[in-house]
Amino acid sequence: MSQFSIIDTPLFDLKVIERKPIGDSRGHLARIFCADQLKDAGWKKPIAQINQTMTKSRGTVRGLHFQNPPYAEMKLISCLQGEIWDVAVDLRKNSPTFLQWHAERLSSENYRALLIPEGFAHGFQTLTDDCELLYLHSAPYKPAAEGGIRPNDPHLAIDWPLDFYEISARDSEHPLLNDLFEGIEL
């Protein structure tokens, strides 16, 4: 029996992973990752890095971040505490969903994760205070390969649910997209 339901999204290759907790009077167990079960969702590489973030204030935006090839990475994002609005943007050149975005509410209560393929930018907005996230990455972070897009880029027109309460100077200064952006070639 699989510990996950794999749900397609409107974006090509982007998946929602719904964990199926097993519980009794003591509490529950919910599997975060299983290579065998998630291979059908597109995860075909080993986990190279695991990160945890804590964001204190509701309305905070982080992202939109990505790694350029050859260090492009898949991510599996889970919210362990609080609730976020998690956003993925398809930056893959020649993708049928190029420059489209999709968002999912992830929370400690809905047991959902977002499996983000290589060639996507990722960001989120906290919908509650004290949001804790767990990131599984298929490639280690390489500062020289980092890329970013401004979260309020008018070309993407992401419909963020809250006004931006806080955003880092770095994220607010990412470049805006223009008609010359051809995408990421994987």
Side-chain angles (χ1 to χ4, degrees):
M1 179 180 108
S2 178
Q3 297 288 320
F4 307 104
S5 292
I6 299 167
I7 303 164
D8 290 327
T9 71
L11 300 191
F12 187 64
D13 294 332
L14 180 69
K15 307 289 184 191
V16 173
I17 308 300
E18 198 165 78
R19 297 185 298 274
K20 299 176 184 176
I22 301 167
D24 58 25
S25 62
R26 300 168 296 162
H28 73 272
L29 169 118
R31 184 163 291 156
I32 297 286
F33 181 86
C34 177
D36 285 344
Q37 293 177 11
L38 291 178
K39 124 176 94 174
D40 289 340
W43 192 286
K44 294 179 174 59
K45 296 183 176 185
I47 295 172
Q49 192 168 301
I50 300 172
N51 294 313
Q52 174 191 13
T53 63
M54 169 59 82
T55 306
K56 294 181 180 184
S57 300
R58 177 181 185 264
T60 300
V61 172
R62 291 183 183 257
L64 301 159
H65 304 139
F66 61 94
Q67 291 280 110
N68 285 294
Y71 303 104
E73 62 183 349
M74 294 184 74
K75 295 179 186 177
L76 182 66
I77 310 296
S78 298
C79 183
L80 303 179
Q81 179 178 311
E83 183 177 22
I84 65 165
W85 200 68
D86 207 39
V87 177
V89 179
D90 189 349
L91 301 178
R92 299 170 299 174
K93 184 177 184 173
N94 301 320
S95 168
T97 55
F98 177 61
L99 291 185
Q100 294 178 30
W101 61 272
H102 179 77
E104 289 285 332
R105 285 181 183 264
L106 305 181
S107 74
S108 55
E109 296 177 3
N110 71 8
Y111 299 101
R112 290 181 144 216
L114 201 56
L115 195 154
I116 302 170
E118 294 174 345
F120 275 66
H122 170 255
F124 66 89
Q125 183 173 45
T126 55
L127 302 177
T128 62
D129 291 337
D130 300 321
C131 290
E132 183 178 0
L133 275 64
L134 186 69
Y135 291 65
L136 281 62
H137 301 262
S138 67
Y141 173 70
K142 299 286 185 191
E146 182 181 56
I149 298 169
R150 203 172 307 168
N152 58 352
D153 189 312
H155 196 83
L156 296 175
I158 296 172
D159 189 17
W160 298 95
L162 304 172
D163 290 336
F164 289 14
Y165 173 75
E166 188 172 345
I167 185 169
S168 72
R170 184 186 81 168
D171 287 350
S172 67
E173 294 171 1
H174 285 313
L176 294 172
L177 293 173
N178 60 45
D179 293 336
L180 301 177
F181 181 72
E182 294 181 2
I184 294 173
E185 183 128 20
L186 297 174

